[in-house]
Amino acid sequence: MKWWKEGVVYQIYPRSFSDSNNDGIGDIRGIIAHLDDLSDLGVDVLWLSPVYPSPNADYGYDISDYKSIHKDYGTMDDMMELIHESEKRNIKIVMDLVINHTSDEHEWFKMSRDPESPYRDYYYWRPGKESGPPNNWTSFFAEGCWEYDEVSGEYYMHLFGAKQPDLNYHNPKVVDEIKGVMKFWLEKGVSGFRCDVINIIYKTSLEDGKMKLVLTGSEHYLAQEGAHDILRTLRKDVLSGFDCFTVGETVFVTPEMGKDLCDESRKELDMIFSFEHMETDQFIVKWFKRKFNPKRFADVLFKWQESIEWNANYLENHDQPRSVSRFGDDQNFWKPSAKMLATCLLTLKGTPFIYQGQEIGMTNYGFTKLNQIKDIETHSVVAFAKNLRIPQWYLWSMIRKNSRDNARTPYQWNSKDNAGFSEHEPWILVNPNYLMINRENQEKDPGSVLSYYKMMIRLRKENQVLIEGEFIPLKASKTLMIYQRKLGKQLWTIVLNFSNRSVKYQNEGKIIISNYGDEHIFGMLKPFESAVYDNSHI
Ligand code: TEU
Ligand code: CA
């Protein structure tokens, strides 16, 4: 079994993890200072959201230099120390690879502004049409995706913000540059990459798209053959020479597209993050939420478990609201629902990805004012909503539930000022519930969410059935999600109660773990109870 299949990955959003020099911004030395805590949790791999130089239009997802470290986060020496200190604890480091676009402050882009420059063709520069931009595509951040440049009299394309110009993958020089970036980090000792929006990097043509409610134009760049070719090239020419893995962030994928990206035989990616389970509580776009329906959620997870050989499983990341606020109940059943979600994540087949703070049950923030929000996506949507005349109360209910900043508030270490994240006012607001929800409290409490995560991670490590075992879906209903894992004669049943009511449930097997611990009652599941049973017939 490969190490990245047996391991548990922990995602760090460095800006909000821990601030070592008290300037209000999390940094690499802050991560080093907490490596023992991470090793104690039992995680094997750390994926760092971008730590490269960036003007922070999209907080690091707009890179201006792929081969160095943002001064906010430290130096290359700090990075090397992080790699070595992690290694001592058997922890590997994985970097975020954001190659669909660069920052407009990247040297390549600056040079490309000159039509005569050899860098012109690194990006998509095109003359406009009489009526305006070169085509009718729309961007992920709810605006147009062409920006006019006075200097050269042409437009450049950006599928995300205007400060995030898309790279042109028709140009072999771009592919060579990216190979160089990957080699650079692998030679420094990193063990792989999380590849940002990797299934949209290749634009087959720039013709007008079919008009759609979202992402007009996507048929020209979603999962194109060109992207598959590039992934195979990167694998063959770079990745295959190292002991590493890749996980692709792949937007709008179906299981069929997913297979073509990460099936072993394809030699492209090792795993992908799909989005479908995260879209079960929305209409068309995430801003229009509908009531969370456990059945819809479980059906989608079952479908992916059955169609993809090895999934990258996640319930949270830096783009998503907190899972306990979204799929659980952060008011009345905060603790059991946070633990139940841990059971789910750590018993599905595939590599589990825990997002910082999830292991202590951090919750959404409850934003009320625009000046509390840092995220470009929320600001773009607010601007867009103005044109649509969406009423304020509705707009704010959308923001509170969906803003990506819900996941980006500082990590809650203890009950000291600023949750122990920094002695300086943090770059983004701390969730006031840190007095109740913080790591230090939970460290001492065997019944805490944190202690439960540690137990579940250990259970997974000690029982191969949770890693290699076949996945067998049993039931998806409004209240219950039930599935089994089977390896040889071993058969385990996992039961998750997604409701705030007690439910009758009989299982003949021996109980292995319940998130209610000693309070578990035979024949019954309490609100948000999860239970793992041993049904092996040996
Ligand atoms: O996210 C890709 C992406 O599709 C998001 O814009 C997603 O639609 C949105 O976050 C859902 O709320 C990746 C990164 O994870 C994200 O942080 C970046 O902003 C984006 O790419 C551009 O690099
Ligand atoms: Ca700092």
Side-chain angles (χ1 to χ4, degrees), residues 18-28 30 71-74 421-422:
S18 174
D19 176 16
S20 71
N21 61 344
N22 295 311
D23 61 356
I25 300 173
D27 45 55
I28 293 171
K71 60 178 178 7
D72 283 355
Y73 303 132
F421 163 75
S422 173

Side-chain angles (χ1 to χ4, degrees), residues 113-261:
R113 287 204 132 107
D114 170 5
E116 302 306 315
S117 156
Y119 288 91
R120 186 70 168 178
D121 204 27
Y122 272 43
Y123 297 87
Y124 292 105
W125 285 99
R126 293 291 184 279
K129 289 189 191 156
E130 323 75 66
S131 50
N135 69 27
N136 66 350
W137 297 8
T138 52
S139 92
F140 280 68
F141 289 158
E143 45 184 285
C145 70
W146 291 96
E147 192 73 10
Y148 184 68
D149 184 57
E150 293 286 343
V151 184
S152 56
E154 288 191 336
Y155 290 80
Y156 66 85
M157 207 249 303
H158 58 91
L159 286 183
F160 292 87
K163 283 182 68 64
Q164 295 165 291
D166 281 47
L167 283 165
N168 171 16
Y169 280 90
H170 291 261
N171 183 349
K173 281 196 226 138
V174 170
V175 181
D176 283 343
E177 296 273 13
I178 297 305
K179 284 186 198 168
V181 168
M182 293 169 80
K183 268 200 199 115
F184 176 86
W185 288 105
L186 290 164
E187 280 164 2
K188 291 206 176 300
V190 314
S191 301
F193 300 101
R194 175 267 188 189
C195 311
D196 195 67
V197 292
I198 199 71
N199 62 329
I200 63 170
I201 59 174
Y202 191 86
K203 285 79 184 171
T204 302
S205 92
L206 295 181
E207 278 160 40
D208 277 344
K210 277 197 280 303
M211 293 292 267
K212 283 186 299 188
L213 282 169
V214 277
L215 293 183
T216 294
S218 61
E219 68 273 26
H220 298 293
Y221 57 78
L222 195 60
Q224 303 292 300
E225 209 33 59
H228 291 294
D229 289 341
I230 290 165
L231 286 172
R232 280 193 291 268
T233 305
L234 296 179
R235 171 84 159 239
K236 183 162 114 331
D237 296 353
V238 184
L239 296 157
S240 62
F242 297 85
D243 182 19
C244 65
F245 78 87
T246 52
V247 53
E249 187 213 26
T250 50
V251 289
F252 299 103
V253 277
T254 60
E256 289 64 43
M257 292 170 164
K259 258 183 256 174
D260 289 346
L261 288 159

Side-chain angles (χ1 to χ4, degrees), residues 16-51:
S16 300
F17 190 63
S18 174
D19 176 16
S20 71
N21 61 344
N22 295 311
D23 61 356
I25 300 173
D27 45 55
I28 293 171
R29 303 210 69 83
I31 304 174
I32 297 174
H34 287 290
L35 281 175
D36 286 333
D37 291 327
L38 293 163
S39 143
D40 194 39
L41 174 61
V43 298
D44 308 276
V45 181
L46 304 178
W47 147 30
L48 308 189
S49 275
V51 286

Side-chain angles (χ1 to χ4, degrees), residues 58 61 101 194 196-197 249 251 286 318-319 377 404:
D58 191 11
Y61 287 89
H101 44 270
R194 175 267 188 189
D196 195 67
V197 292
E249 187 213 26
V251 289
K286 72 173 201 173
H318 65 291
D319 292 336
E377 188 198 45
R404 305 197 294 186

